[in-house]
Every structure is written in structure tokens, then in C-alpha cells.
Amino acid sequence: MRERRGAVTIADVAARAGVSQASVSRVLNGKRSVDPVIVRSVQSAIAALGYAPSVAARSLVHGRNHTVAMVVPDLENPLFQGILKGLSRAAAGDGYRVLVADTAERIEEEEATAIEARHRCDALVLCAPRMPEAQLRRLVARVAPVVVVNRQLPGAEVPIVGVDYGRGIRDLVEHLTKLGHRRLAYVSGPEASASNAERRRGVEEAAAADPDVHIEVLPGGSRLDDGYDAARSVLDARERGATAVIAFNDLVALGLMTRLRELGVDVPAELAVAGFDDVPMARFATPRLTSMSVPRDELGAQVWGRLRTLIAGGPVEHTVLYRPRLEVRESTAAVVAKGGDA
Amino acid sequence: MRERRGAVTIADVAARAGVSQASVSRVLNGKRSVDPVIVRSVQSAIAALGYAPSVAARSLVHGRNHTVAMVVPDLENPLFQGILKGLSRAAAGDGYRVLVADTAERIEEEEATAIEARHRCDALVLCAPRMPEAQLRRLVARVAPVVVVNRQLPGAEVPIVGVDYGRGIRDLVEHLTKLGHRRLAYVSGPEASASNAERRRGVEEAAAADPDVHIEVLPGGSRLDDGYDAARSVLDARERGATAVIAFNDLVALGLMTRLRELGVDVPAELAVAGFDDVPMARFATPRLTSMSVPRDELGAQVWGRLRTLIAGGPVEHTVLYRPRLEVRESTAAVVAKGGDA
DNA sequence: CTGTTAGCGCGTTCAA
DNA sequence: TTGAACGCGCTAACAG
């Protein structure tokens, strides 16, 4: 791009090598058989002139960019960061690059951003946890090829790569109930977030599966501050008998633990706390945070695999959901008989 | 891109509106004055056909992509994440998008990656903290327009946006000496890192400025684990009289504090700890981590400003270095008279 | 003010 | 095997 006017073109190479442009093109693309003599002269001409093919011209001819875009609401989110990293590295292996289209949380601009990004790229990765489902369906049909991250979209012709949050939550609840916890609290994530909805479903299923288990849902958020601020309502829940808390994600859990420590609440002795995502910091918290591990980079690699198939004209591959892995650490311990409460 | 063969082109619009392609083009670009009647008919044709201009064709004609690439060694790094975010949002405001070129720590491929990325874009942002200076100089000249992040490059014709690490460290040392600390330790970052070198220079200058102050340099790294592992040597330094530690960055500081807590060393009573970068978690650590705040997003915005000027054919603007701001928190406190040591 | 023409740089027929 | 010619979709001259 921005080939400073007068950049060396294939014509210059052809002239210097004394052959036609077509021959140069063939050498460049290894097409057909070309006389070895010509090959050499072309190659040396290329080297001498420092020629590099014009990406723009190639794109125009092929209708392909070798670029894909990833649409995200917030680059701050560790999950998306991991996916971006995994995606960009995997794609690079196939000569593709990744464009970031950060919508800065403006979900009303998400659709337009996606469409615009699609015009510049061969395919899209859509991370739109809060876009209304109907809108997402329409969008997906319009911008194909596309891979959707972390959302269910029943019946839609689109590959989905994500995390089985429901399953993760159920596994986490099981871990806690095995430790003797019966009354739990779930500090939820952003209201409209699809992955939060899945977690809540997991919470409900877990509660429904065992009549002894009760899970209270508390408002929360997705960041450190949200967890910090949720301490108040968490402690209220504790008054009502809760002995363990599951946070929407690790950031919330870490923020919560910070506040609890300030308030002199001992984790896990007085209250067990668990997070979700297993961010690096989880292992370094005090106490070390029990969490559900999600293979962030691997998700990105899987996304690329699906995308690549689509770009090559292949079929919509099956949805793949990673089952989070329980990482038991210090923040969750067996429930302790508790004195004087109702 | 990937205009499915047979996408609607400007010719279709022209035909439907009963005008020439040139007229359509004019309407599209608001060039010259066009008969309002034609404008309307073209617009309705565009709407009816759902026409969207081909980015590839435009790029070929203009020699511009409206895309810039950011080359980074590691997307995991909070600083680069912040810059990417700030850059991508600022660039979006001018209709530009950002391509990420993650070199996956392979510094030997950095140059090739940068050149390749440059072919797809109108300009480059180079984050190459470990690239040898001579190589960087050559590269910068070759891929212009380009902005360099977080490195000094005396005499080179390139805008630089960065952080004044030396100044930051000196301010931090001053903070500690005011608290009565005289013997400090600096847990350094990656060996070849330019920003680590600047920090070390800051350390030396601070020590040179005050004969009473001694600063010992310890090996370290850039991640949580590195800080955790550095605890051993930090404690050795403490045996030698050090009462305060400055870590390469917050991650290292946080990892270090985790280990210290495990070992029963009280921060800040027995040892003061300070970090650098002021990542969100710093405020939520226990104790809350004193750190030097760096405006990550703002850096990205500044980078875009410089890049935009360059793309528009403007001059190489002055280097801008942000002076980190001291955020005093709980992890640093006044030195306490210490009993029985040498 | 509008239409015609000529490329932008490359890949790809189709003859030779 | 090679080269000439055309077209990808669009914009910028130049006439009219």
C-alpha cells in the first residue's frame, strides 16, 4: 500500500529481465513451467530492483486480501486479548493478518463497524456478547464468512467457537458442594452479556439438580471495581447463610477479595470465593484464587481454523465449546461449622 | 475484499441511474458539483442495489489503504495492549484501521514482519524494545512513514512516542528516600529491553545524585513469575540492608509481593515495594501497590497523531515522552528502625 | 456540468 | 513455453 508513486512494478522487472510481464508473474507464483534461464534472470532482476508485488493490485484481481477482522467490544477484556493473540498467531502461519475493530463498547455501532470491517477483509470474527440475537443473526448472514465467538445461535449457518460456561459453572458448583457448601451466591456479569446468561443458566441447573443447594444471584459486573463494589451485597448474602461465592470472572473475584480483606473477612475460612477464566493473576492472589481455566489462545487458534475452512470454500464446521477446567486453589475450602447465625 | 464474484459495481449503479461511472464516482466522493437530479438518482440506485465501493480498487488507484499496522513482540504486555487500544480508537476516528502484527517474541523475525506488514498498510507503529539499534535504524528508514514506541533513536528521522522511564525511576527513588530509605534494590526487566536500560540509567542517576543512596540491581524479568522468583535474591539484598524494592513493572512487583507474603515478610513494614505502569490490579493488591502511572491509551492516541501527520505528508513531529505519575499507595511506607542486622 | 478515456499493478486467458 | 491483450473496480484527466 501507499506505493510511493513510481514504485518498481512488475513491468520494470519484465523490462530488465527482457521478458514479458506474464513470465514474471509466472515466476512469482510458481505457475506452470518456466524456462530455468528465464527464472533466473527474473529473479535477479527482482533482487536488483528490490521489487515487491503490490498487495492492492493482487487484492483487486483475486478479490482477496489475506486479512481478517476481529470485532470486539473491548480490547481490555483478557479473554478477547487471548483470542486475538491466538488468532493472530495462527492466521500468520497461513499468511493472513488480523485487523482489530474495537467498537469501544458502543454496541449500537457494532453492526456498522462489522460491515465496514468486512469490506476490507476476507472474513470476520465476531465477538458481540451483547448484541441482540435477532440483529446478530441478520449480521452474520450478511458478513459471511464469519465465525462467532462465545454465543449460541441455534440454526444459524455459522461456526461457533466458545466456552461451555454452563458446564463450567456446574462443575464449579459441584466442587463447592463437595466441600460442604449449600448456600452459594453468584455475582453476575454485565446484564446483557450472553456468556453471563449462560453462566446463570448453569447456576440454575446446578441448583435445580440438587434440592439442598441454593444459589442466590447478585448484581455485579466484569471488572475489578465491580467485584470490589459487590462486597456489600455479598456480605448481605453471607448473613443470609451463603458460605461461598462464585464471581462472573476472575477480575470480579479479585476485586471482591480485596474488599473482603479490607473488611476483615477471611477467605476461605469465612467465605469461599471462586472466579472464572483463570487469568495469570489468579495464581498470585492471596489467597490463590480457585478458578475455571479457559484456553484463551487455543480459542483463537480454533477460530482461525474455522475461518480458514470457510475462506477456502469449505463447510460450516461444527460448533466447538471448550469445557473449562477446574483449578482448585486456596480461595475455596471446606465449609466450617459456623456459630451464632439464624 | 473478497467481493464475491459478481458483486455490484459502480458500473451497475451507473447503468441503473442512466449516467456515467464518472458521475457515480463524483457523487460518491462529493467531488465537483453534480446536478442534484443526478445525485438523487445515483443515490437511489446505490440504495436499491446495495452498492458498496470496492476497497481494493480504491486502494489500487490511490495507493492508500487507510490501514496502519502495529508491530509488537507480545500482545500479552499491558502497555502494548493499552497502546493498541488507544491507537485503534483514535485511528478509527479518521477512518483508519489497525492491523496487528504480533511477532510472538521472535525478534529475529521482527524486521521481516515489519516489512511485510508495511506492504499491506500506509504506515507502521514499531514496538521493538529488543531490536538492536542499528537494525532498527535501517528498518525505520525503510518502512517510513513510521512511529517508534518507547525507544530513543538519536538523529533518526522518526517520531517517537514513549515514556520517560528514567525520570519515572528518579521520581520513585525520591519518593522512597523521602520515606527514609537509603538502600534500595531494583529488580530489572528483560536483559535486552530498551525500557529496562532506561530504567537502569534512572537508577544510576538517582544513586549518583545522592551519595547516601545505594541501589543494587537484581535480575528479574517482566512477568508475574519473574517477580515471584526474584523474591530469593530480594531477600538476600534485604540481608545486606535494603529496605525498599523497585520492580521493573507492576507484574513483577505483584509476583514478588505474593512470594513475600508466603514467606511471611511484611510489606511495607519490613520491606517497601514499588512497581511501574500502574496496571488496574495495582490498586487491588494487598497491600495496594505504589506505582508509576503511565497513560497507556493516551500513548496510543499520540502515536496516531504522529502517524496521521506523516501520512498526510507532514513533518516528523517532536518526540513526546510522558512523565510517569507517582501513585503512592500502601506498599511503600517510611523506613522503620530495624533491630539486629549487621 | 457530464461523459469518454486512460490507467493504477497484476493475473490470466488465448494464440503463437 | 512465451507474450500480447484484456479485465478486476475505480478515479483523474480531458473533452464536450
Side-chain angles (χ1 to χ4, degrees):
Chain A
M1 253 356 67
R2 184 127 195 252
E3 344 261 0
R4 37 291 169 217
R5 292 289 169 200
V8 28
T9 87
I10 204 174
D12 302 323
V13 177
R16 191 176 216 276
V19 298
S20 74
Q21 299 190 17
S23 291
V24 177
S25 176
R26 288 182 190 112
V27 172
L28 249 44
N29 302 296
K31 293 274 188 169
R32 287 297 180 90
S33 44
V34 186
D35 187 311
V37 180
I38 292 195
V39 173
R40 259 186 297 280
S41 70
V42 166
Q43 283 172 337
S44 69
I46 288 178
L49 268 37
Y51 165 81
S54 155
V55 175
R58 274 194 141 110
S59 299
L60 183 57
V61 171
H62 286 131
R64 295 209 172 170
N65 229 356
H66 290 262
T67 303
V68 300
M70 174 163 167
V71 181
V72 277
D74 181 18
L75 274 178
E76 207 88 5
N77 185 314
L79 181 66
F80 297 145
Q81 288 169 354
I83 294 180
L84 175 58
K85 181 175 158 187
L87 170 65
S88 110
R89 292 188 179 179
D94 291 315
Y96 271 74
R97 295 237 171 260
V98 179
L99 207 68
V100 299
D102 178 359
T103 60
E105 305 279 13
R106 302 229 183 73
I107 72 169
E108 69 281 5
E109 292 175 17
E110 231 163 19
E111 180 167 11
T113 300
I115 292 172
E116 193 275 342
R118 179 61 181 79
H119 281 307
R120 308 178 177 237
C121 298
D122 302 347
L124 234 52
V125 178
L126 231 38
C127 305
R130 284 181 288 246
M131 184 182 290
E133 185 169 324
Q135 186 186 15
L136 182 56
R137 285 197 129 79
R138 252 186 297 123
L139 181 57
V140 153
R142 179 162 176 186
V143 299
V146 57
V147 169
V148 167
V149 171
N150 253 356
R151 299 230 4 192
Q152 304 294 4
L153 221 50
E157 282 288 308
V158 57
I160 294 180
V161 174
V163 175
D164 192 343
Y165 290 103
R167 182 63 192 247
I169 289 289
R170 295 201 304 277
D171 288 347
L172 188 48
V173 170
E174 180 187 331
H175 162 66
L176 291 169
T177 55
K178 274 188 179 161
L179 288 174
H181 297 279
R182 291 295 171 265
R183 298 195 72 92
L184 319 181
Y186 169 64
V187 179
S188 48
E191 271 315 311
S193 154
S195 78
N196 181 53
E198 289 178 37
R199 287 171 172 89
R200 290 190 55 160
R201 205 168 307 127
V203 162
E204 285 161 21
E205 290 170 7
D210 185 340
D212 287 348
V213 174
H214 294 276
I215 310 183
E216 184 172 354
V217 176
L218 271 28
S222 62
R223 299 170 317 162
L224 287 162
D225 319 62
D226 298 319
Y228 189 88
D229 296 338
R232 186 75 270 139
S233 57
V234 165
L235 289 180
D236 289 345
R238 181 163 172 277
E239 289 305 310
R240 292 189 286 275
T243 57
V245 188
I246 294 175
F248 171 69
N249 66 18
D250 282 355
L251 295 184
V252 172
L254 291 168
L256 172 63
M257 288 208 301
T258 296
R259 185 62 182 146
L260 291 177
R261 208 178 306 119
E262 288 179 353
L263 296 173
V265 178
D266 188 278
V267 174
E270 300 181 64
L271 191 64
V273 175
F276 211 111
D277 281 355
D278 194 26
V279 300
M281 188 63 205
R283 285 171 42 224
F284 292 88
T286 305
R288 292 164 186 273
L289 179 67
T290 292
S291 187
M292 300 302 295
S293 163
V294 170
R296 292 181 287 281
D297 294 13
E298 175 63 22
L299 278 171
Q302 280 292 336
V303 166
W304 173 242
R306 298 278 181 291
L307 220 44
R308 179 163 76 145
T309 300
L310 249 34
I311 291 173
V316 171
E317 296 182 81
H318 291 354
T319 288
V320 56
L321 254 38
Y322 283 86
R323 176 174 175 179
R325 190 182 39 189
L326 175 65
E327 294 290 344
V328 178
R329 303 207 178 90
E330 304 164 351
S331 68
T332 52
V335 68
V336 179
K338 208 169 121 202
D341 59 34
Chain B
M1 262 342 72
R2 183 119 193 260
E3 345 261 358
R4 37 289 171 221
R5 292 285 169 205
V8 28
T9 87
I10 204 175
D12 302 323
V13 176
R16 191 177 215 274
V19 298
S20 74
Q21 299 191 17
S23 291
V24 177
S25 177
R26 287 181 193 116
V27 173
L28 249 45
N29 303 297
K31 293 273 188 170
R32 287 299 181 92
S33 44
V34 185
D35 187 313
V37 179
I38 292 196
V39 173
R40 260 187 296 281
S41 71
V42 165
Q43 283 173 337
S44 69
I46 288 178
L49 268 38
Y51 165 81
S54 156
V55 175
R58 276 198 143 114
S59 301
L60 182 55
V61 171
H62 287 131
R64 295 206 173 173
N65 230 355
H66 290 264
T67 303
V68 300
M70 173 162 166
V71 181
V72 277
D74 181 17
L75 274 179
E76 208 88 8
N77 186 315
L79 181 67
F80 296 147
Q81 289 169 355
I83 294 180
L84 174 58
K85 182 175 156 189
L87 170 65
S88 111
R89 292 188 178 179
D94 291 314
Y96 271 73
R97 295 237 170 261
V98 179
L99 208 68
V100 299
D102 177 2
T103 61
E105 306 278 14
R106 303 230 182 71
I107 72 168
E108 70 280 7
E109 292 176 16
E110 230 162 20
E111 180 167 11
T113 300
I115 292 171
E116 193 274 343
R118 179 62 181 78
H119 281 305
R120 309 179 177 238
C121 297
D122 301 345
L124 235 50
V125 178
L126 231 38
C127 304
R130 284 181 288 248
M131 183 181 290
E133 184 168 324
Q135 186 185 13
L136 182 57
R137 285 196 128 79
R138 252 186 297 122
L139 182 55
V140 153
R142 179 162 176 186
V143 299
V146 57
V147 169
V148 166
V149 170
N150 253 356
R151 295 214 30 173
Q152 304 294 4
L153 221 51
E157 282 288 307
V158 59
I160 295 181
V161 174
V163 174
D164 191 343
Y165 290 104
R167 182 64 193 247
I169 289 289
R170 295 201 304 275
D171 288 347
L172 188 48
V173 170
E174 181 187 331
H175 161 66
L176 291 168
T177 54
K178 275 188 181 163
L179 289 173
H181 297 279
R182 291 294 172 267
R183 297 196 73 92
L184 319 181
Y186 169 64
V187 178
S188 48
E191 272 316 310
S193 154
S195 78
N196 182 53
E198 290 178 37
R199 287 172 174 87
R200 290 189 55 160
R201 206 167 308 129
V203 162
E204 285 161 21
E205 289 169 5
D210 185 343
D212 287 347
V213 174
H214 294 277
I215 309 182
E216 184 172 354
V217 176
L218 272 26
S222 61
R223 299 171 317 161
L224 287 161
D225 319 62
D226 298 319
Y228 189 88
D229 296 339
R232 185 77 267 138
S233 57
V234 165
L235 289 181
D236 288 346
R238 181 164 171 277
E239 288 305 311
R240 287 181 234 110
T243 58
V245 189
I246 294 175
F248 171 69
N249 65 19
D250 283 354
L251 295 183
V252 171
L254 291 168
L256 171 63
M257 288 209 299
T258 296
R259 185 62 181 145
L260 292 177
R261 208 177 307 118
E262 288 178 355
L263 296 174
V265 178
D266 188 278
V267 175
E270 299 182 64
L271 192 64
V273 175
F276 211 111
D277 281 355
D278 193 27
V279 300
M281 189 63 204
R283 285 172 42 222
F284 292 89
T286 303
R288 292 164 186 273
L289 179 66
T290 292
S291 187
M292 299 304 293
S293 164
V294 171
R296 293 182 285 281
D297 293 15
E298 175 62 22
L299 279 171
Q302 281 292 338
V303 167
W304 173 242
R306 298 278 182 291
L307 219 43
R308 180 165 73 145
T309 299
L310 249 34
I311 291 173
V316 170
E317 296 182 82
H318 290 354
T319 288
V320 55
L321 253 38
Y322 283 87
R323 176 176 175 179
R325 190 182 37 188
L326 175 64
E327 294 288 344
V328 178
R329 302 207 180 89
E330 304 164 351
S331 68
T332 52
V335 68
V336 179
K338 209 169 119 204
D341 59 32

